[in-house]
Amino acid sequence: MNRKDEHIRLAKAFHKEKSNDFDAIRLIHNPLPQIATNDVSLQTAVLDHEEAFPFFINAMTGGSQKSQQINHDLALIAKECNLMMATGSVTAALKDESVQDSFKIVRKVNPDGFFLANIGAHNDLENAQRAVELFGANALQIHLNAPQELVMPEGDRAFGDWLDNIAEIVAKLDVPVVVKEVGFGMTRETMLQLISVGVQTIDVSGQGGTSFTQIENARRPKREMAYLSEFGQSTAISLLEAAQVTRSFEVIASGGIRNAFDIFKSLILGADTVGISATILNQLLSHGVDATIAMIESWQEDLILLYTMVGKKNTHALETVPVIFTDEVWQWCQARGIDVRKYAIRGQNEIPFRF
């Protein structure tokens, strides 16, 4: 079986709505929101581009006939829902022209869409340029996936050139660049390394959704590395880590996004936009295009209600919503010196009092 098709099969087989660290984030209710739904704008800006909604279809697949149909359907969904979309890694298409149509299809379906091409950090500038040119991508994702590669039976075993490759691509590529994890999360130390070589947009992509160590372990004959199935930092924790770095960069949240409330919580924790993969893929494979469009449209409607509920008229303003952390998120904050009280009392100076 084609490895890309095997990834799709295993991702669907392992997909289930499970608890994750988003459940450890509790909003402090404000009974007086003082706005109406008509006051709310969901617009956000990322990668030098204005987006109507603060979430998008994140990288999933490509490189086979089956994945070509999936990318066709995802591009159609992106078009109908007015969303940005990233393809899966195009590395296979850089090596084999016969699978290029599985990526080019997105531009055919949605000629005016905003698309991100995706490559691994082992690729050089030339491959980055070829990836963008493949279907006229508007931006490039460079993914970091060392744990996946190490568990993958045929995966890479050397990672010493990754940061140098990223630095050259960011400096010389003529479209914006995102550096993203693939579900293992990030810390402030990693983000500072990326910023130091010019990266301006980071997708923290945390643990809590699809586990590529679990998927790759399932492809090992002995399946002996199951202990890495839940490896990494969660998306919620990664966003808290990002908030400890001076905000000279854009933050994208992805990993374990199950619904509009998880999107909302990600934005509250400082994300500029939110990427969703597994929940959308599972809905598409299980129920089809129309049902997936309906689900996404319901998220868009729910977000307007959620913004209104906390009295915030735009995405940027959500960063003043007070929240409390429990369980492992609270424990992480204690260990890493993150001031939880600051989050619990933020926004107090915005409340008008009448005497």
Side-chain angles (χ1 to χ4, degrees):
M1 179 184 291
N2 178 287
R3 181 164 63 91
K4 299 298 184 181
D5 290 346
E6 197 170 5
H7 282 173
I8 294 168
R9 179 183 67 82
L10 291 169
K12 188 176 189 307
F14 290 140
H15 179 81
K16 61 180 179 179
E17 187 166 304
K18 57 185 178 181
S19 62
N20 63 34
D21 278 350
F22 284 115
D23 299 323
I25 301 165
R26 299 186 59 184
L27 276 66
I28 298 175
H29 175 52
N30 170 19
L32 292 169
Q34 297 291 94
I35 66 169
T37 55
N38 289 340
D39 297 325
V40 171
S41 168
L42 299 181
Q43 192 172 28
T44 191
V46 68
L47 299 168
D48 300 327
H49 184 71
E50 296 287 336
E51 288 291 318
F53 303 102
F55 66 93
F56 67 101
I57 300 172
N58 214 349
M60 288 188 231
T61 192
S64 68
Q65 185 174 355
K66 180 177 182 179
S67 63
Q68 179 171 329
Q69 182 61 50
I70 292 173
N71 275 340
H72 170 281
D73 293 345
L74 290 172
L76 180 59
I77 292 164
K79 181 179 181 180
E80 293 299 315
C81 297
N82 193 19
L83 297 181
M84 180 170 74
M85 174 185 164
T87 69
S89 174
V90 305
T91 302
L94 302 182
K95 298 176 181 177
D96 181 359
E97 292 185 2
S98 69
V99 301
Q100 290 185 355
D101 285 346
S102 66
F103 299 98
K104 291 180 178 179
I105 190 67
V106 300
R107 184 61 73 189
K108 292 179 181 178
V109 171
N110 188 4
D112 300 321
F114 192 94
F115 289 106
L116 289 74
N118 180 298
I119 59 172
H122 65 280
N123 285 280
D124 59 14
L125 175 61
E126 180 183 356
N127 277 351
Q129 292 169 331
R130 291 173 61 205
V132 169
E133 292 168 359
L134 183 64
F135 55 88
N138 305 93
L140 179 73
Q141 283 182 337
I142 302 175
H143 68 257
L144 310 177
N145 66 334
Q148 178 189 7
E149 294 288 345
L150 291 168
V151 177
M152 188 190 306
E154 69 277 40
D156 292 340
R157 298 293 184 266
F159 313 104
D161 59 351
W162 279 15
L163 194 59
D164 289 339
N165 289 342
I166 290 169
E168 183 178 21
I169 291 169
V170 168
K172 298 180 180 179
L173 198 67
D174 59 0
V175 298
V177 176
V178 184
V179 176
K180 75 180 294 290
E181 246 294 348
V182 300
F184 305 109
M186 290 194 188
T187 61
R188 68 195 79 170
E189 291 86 356
T190 298
M191 294 180 225
L192 286 169
Q193 282 182 285
L194 294 171
I195 294 165
S196 74
V197 298
V199 175
Q200 296 182 2
T201 307
I202 297 174
D203 183 343
V204 299
S205 192
Q207 176 265 348
T210 300
S211 169
F212 279 100
T213 42
Q214 182 185 36
I215 287 173
E216 297 299 350
N217 189 55
R219 299 179 61 243
R220 296 176 70 91
K222 296 181 180 180
R223 302 189 176 189
E224 71 274 27
M225 299 186 77
Y227 49 78
L228 290 178
S229 291
E230 300 299 324
F231 181 77
Q233 291 86 244
S234 70
T235 304
I237 283 171
S238 298
L239 288 170
L240 290 169
E241 288 282 328
Q244 309 313 304
V245 181
T246 301
R247 280 298 298 270
S248 59
F249 63 106
E250 297 173 332
V251 176
I252 297 174
S254 64
I257 307 298
R258 300 161 297 185
N259 49 45
F261 204 29
D262 289 345
I263 297 171
F264 185 60
K265 288 180 178 179
S266 296
L267 299 170
I268 285 173
L269 293 184
D272 294 291
T273 191
V274 179
I276 303 103
S277 298
T279 302
I280 290 176
L281 179 63
N282 186 68
Q283 180 77 352
L284 174 61
L285 295 179
S286 300
H287 303 290
V289 170
D290 290 344
T292 307
I293 291 172
M295 179 184 73
I296 290 172
E297 288 177 342
S298 73
W299 290 350
Q300 294 167 341
E301 294 166 0
D302 288 353
L303 284 172
I304 292 175
L305 302 181
L306 291 167
Y307 279 49
T308 306
M309 184 179 72
V310 297
K312 303 302 179 184
K313 297 180 181 180
N314 57 66
T315 300
H316 178 70
L318 294 177
E319 294 185 33
T320 62
V321 173
V323 289
I324 288 176
F325 309 126
T326 63
D327 304 326
E328 290 187 13
V329 175
W330 186 88
Q331 294 169 16
W332 181 281
C333 289
Q334 298 306 304
R336 295 281 286 176
I338 297 172
D339 185 355
V340 295
R341 187 173 181 274
K342 179 183 71 174
Y343 285 89
I345 64 172
R346 65 183 184 175
Q348 287 185 349
N349 60 352
E350 297 179 351
I351 301 173
F353 293 98
R354 297 178 182 176
F355 296 99

